[in-house]
Amino acid sequence: MLIWIYQHYHEKVLLQDIVHAGQLIRSECCRYYKDILKKSLLHYVNEYRIQQSLILLQETDLNLLEIAYPVGFNSTSSFISVFKRIKNTTPLAYRN
């Protein structure tokens, strides 16, 4: 399931797709993430997306819009909001 997330994080990630990839039922999939990774599925996916955005923030001059979409966010405002919640700073402050 993690490999599927790593390969598809930039797309719209649906629980049913991850469940199918792991060949589990929905409740087992959610419990797996909570028990093993100590976080919800959505939180894990968002953390991974933010991790990927860090590379782009450090190694490119792309603007936030050019970073948000390729890492799986559907708007810059949601990207900034999630980034701030996870990293306790804004993407631009992190870049600087």
Side-chain angles (χ1 to χ4, degrees), residues 50-61:
I50 294 301
Q51 196 68 24
Q52 296 307 303
S53 77
L54 297 178
I55 298 165
L56 296 174
L57 286 166
Q58 292 171 346
E59 297 179 1
T60 72
D61 291 329

Side-chain angles (χ1 to χ4, degrees), residues 6-41:
Y6 301 154
Q7 293 173 339
H8 298 276
Y9 72 92
H10 58 281
E11 303 168 9
K12 184 175 182 176
V13 174
L14 300 174
L15 179 58
Q16 67 190 21
D17 296 327
I18 297 170
V19 167
H20 179 70
Q23 300 178 351
L24 297 171
I25 61 172
R26 181 185 170 131
S27 60
E28 285 181 29
C29 182
C30 292
R31 188 173 43 249
Y32 169 81
Y33 279 90
K34 283 283 190 186
D35 292 346
I36 305 295
L37 301 174
K38 307 298 184 213
K39 56 191 77 173
S40 73
L41 173 61

Side-chain angles (χ1 to χ4, degrees), residues 65-76:
L65 179 64
E66 294 170 314
I67 292 173
Y69 287 104
V71 298
F73 291 96
N74 58 9
S75 71
T76 53

